[in-house]
Amino acid sequence: MKNYLDCQYSAFISYATDDDVLLYDWISTFAGELNLRVPARLNGANWRKVHLSGSTPVVAGALDAQLKQRIANSFAMVVVVYKKYKLSSHCLKELQYFASVFGEAALKERLYIVALSEESIEERLASADWKAIFRDFDPTWTCFYDAIDKGKALPISGDDGKTRPKAFTEIFTLLCDDLSEKINATTQKAPAAPAFVAAQPLPDVPVVTAQGPGSRNGALIYIESNIRERDEWEAIGDRIRATWNSLVGSESGATPLALSARGLPVDDLDKWPSLSDADGVVLLWGRKPPNALIAQIDKVEGKLSGRYPAPGIVAYLIPPQNRTGNKLPAWGWKVLRFNADAINKIDVDPEEADDLKSFLKKILDHSRARVFTGEQPLHGTGTSC
């Protein structure tokens, strides 16, 4: 896939122009908000504006060369589906061309499907053409429609025409954070960890957990426990430990993994001085609404000390969450799906197993760098996985 700096556009927005008319320029306004909100999140990279497919003249038949070029020169694609989308053959061709140019990896990482009604999701999922594009996985939907009236798109502006309603802003912020995170990831190279770190055995190091002073030889992960998901944290911990052992178990002087004995009670986190001993944090997205998740992330980040705090992820539990629901990274924390049909068989979704391994490798780097140098690792901020 293309580096952002090699692209002409940040995103190609594919939509039916009749939908924009029906919704009084909702899609055009949405594009304007992206151009306004995302640039401030970029780490020094110049913003490439989004391209609206409706601004390119469309002729009957196949996509013309100009339209193909603009899709190929875009970092990401945003597909907006509403009532008229299904009637537009060009919209489908734009998505098909994006998939043919960039492949399945781009469909998973750089495609944003914005749904403005629940019906539009159902129509797409039932479409044979849609199924042909997403043969081996379920795409992630970003739902900008009313929670009660599911045929009504969330308004972008308040009654005064200036303010942004909370319901829209919460979801839009997650999308902006995810896009900017992926742009930043392609424009900056993280320094490699010191070579000597991986070669030396780990000494015992002191640690303070929720249960008081103790000692450990290895890395420590805190996994959220709460009154709604009482046992899930331990089952997820077992899965994470198994993945950890498969990654580092064969190394000389292998680094063991420790889990906080009773999970991480986020609701009582105000009573804790800090999470400075953490090498990684996992929050649960089960029955809590998105705004509660964001509040918890803010609270945890406030307890992660140092210039490069420990990395964190969000475990998106299915069920109670819907597999095709809104699963966007939240404030820089990558969200990984975990199949939770049975409490004793919770496991990361196979499609995201590599992301879990990447997270654990960051934890390993964090633990080793802290032990050997007394400093945090140099590879990043730790909250973006």
Side-chain angles (χ1 to χ4, degrees), residues 12-17 51-58 67 91 94:
F12 183 96
I13 301 183
S14 176
Y15 67 103
T17 54
H51 177 75
L52 284 164
S53 62
S55 62
T56 303
V58 174
L67 200 58
C91 286
E94 288 164 357

Side-chain angles (χ1 to χ4, degrees), residues 202 204 216-220 241 244-245 248 253-258 279 363-364 367:
L202 290 172
D204 288 334
R216 79 171 191 269
N217 178 24
L220 175 66
R241 183 183 283 109
W244 177 274
N245 290 340
V248 303
T255 305
L257 178 69
D279 291 307
I363 289 174
L364 182 62
S367 172

Side-chain angles (χ1 to χ4, degrees), residues 220 222 274-282 297-313 331-333 359 361-367 369-370 374-385:
L220 175 66
Y222 285 100
S274 75
L275 292 172
S276 59
D277 59 330
D279 291 307
V281 178
V282 178
I297 288 174
D298 286 340
K299 186 181 292 187
V300 169
E301 288 186 340
K303 297 292 183 178
L304 294 171
S305 61
R307 184 179 178 186
Y308 299 109
I313 62 169
W331 292 92
W333 287 48
F359 170 59
K361 287 176 182 176
K362 289 184 179 182
I363 289 174
L364 182 62
D365 289 344
H366 191 280
S367 172
R370 175 176 45 74
E375 299 177 353
Q376 301 293 345
L378 303 176
H379 60 267
T381 63
T383 58
S384 180
C385 304

Side-chain angles (χ1 to χ4, degrees), residues 28-313:
S28 301
T29 305
F30 177 85
E33 286 294 299
L34 283 176
N35 282 325
L36 181 65
R37 304 299 173 187
V38 177
R41 293 167 163 82
L42 303 186
N43 295 333
N46 292 326
W47 173 242
R48 276 78 163 140
K49 290 186 177 181
V50 302
H51 177 75
L52 284 164
S53 62
S55 62
T56 303
V58 174
V59 295
L63 299 183
D64 64 21
Q66 184 183 45
L67 200 58
K68 287 182 177 180
Q69 184 180 35
R70 290 178 175 175
I71 293 172
N73 285 330
S74 296
F75 179 81
M77 174 174 275
V78 178
V79 173
V80 183
V81 296
Y82 192 54
K83 293 181 178 180
K84 301 297 183 179
Y85 181 90
K86 64 181 179 181
L87 302 177
S88 172
S89 61
H90 261 77
C91 286
L92 179 64
K93 291 173 183 176
E94 288 164 357
L95 177 57
Q96 289 171 332
Y97 187 71
F98 178 79
S100 69
V101 171
F102 297 111
E104 185 175 297
L107 292 177
K108 291 181 177 179
E109 295 295 325
R110 297 189 185 179
L111 175 66
Y112 300 87
I113 307 176
V114 172
L116 301 184
S117 70
E118 185 177 65
E119 183 182 9
S120 62
I121 296 178
E122 295 171 350
E123 288 174 347
R124 289 300 87 210
L125 292 177
S127 166
D129 292 328
W130 193 267
K131 292 177 181 178
I133 296 173
F134 302 102
R135 293 188 300 271
D136 301 321
F137 69 98
D138 295 327
T140 299
W141 297 82
T142 306
C143 303
F144 281 96
Y145 54 79
D146 189 88
I148 298 175
D149 184 355
K150 297 183 179 182
K152 178 181 178 182
L154 292 175
I156 296 180
S157 300
D159 293 336
D160 59 3
K162 298 179 181 179
T163 58
R164 298 290 176 254
K166 182 179 179 181
F168 170 83
T169 300
E170 286 180 347
I171 302 171
F172 184 72
T173 297
L174 295 178
L175 190 152
C176 290
D177 286 344
D178 185 46
L179 177 59
S180 59
E181 177 191 353
K182 289 171 181 173
I183 290 174
N184 287 331
T186 71
T187 57
Q188 294 186 355
K189 287 188 177 181
F196 69 87
V197 169
Q200 301 185 37
L202 290 172
D204 288 334
V205 292
V207 60
V208 178
T209 68
Q211 289 72 46
S215 64
R216 79 171 191 269
N217 178 24
L220 175 66
I221 297 181
Y222 285 100
I223 303 177
E224 177 192 350
S225 59
N226 61 61
I227 59 174
R228 294 182 181 87
E229 287 88 27
R230 295 180 181 274
D231 303 312
E232 282 80 353
W233 78 270
E234 191 168 9
I236 290 175
D238 290 340
R239 180 64 264 168
I240 287 176
R241 183 183 283 109
T243 304
W244 177 274
N245 290 340
S246 70
L247 285 174
V248 303
S250 60
E251 294 184 7
S252 176
T255 305
L257 178 69
L259 304 175
S260 179
R262 295 183 195 141
L264 176 65
V266 178
D267 294 337
D268 296 326
L269 199 58
D270 293 334
K271 301 175 184 178
W272 291 25
S274 75
L275 292 172
S276 59
D277 59 330
D279 291 307
V281 178
V282 178
L283 294 180
L284 305 182
W285 192 352
R287 294 174 177 83
K288 68 172 69 84
N291 59 336
L293 172 66
I294 293 173
Q296 288 188 343
I297 288 174
D298 286 340
K299 186 181 292 187
V300 169
E301 288 186 340
K303 297 292 183 178
L304 294 171
S305 61
R307 184 179 178 186
Y308 299 109
I313 62 169

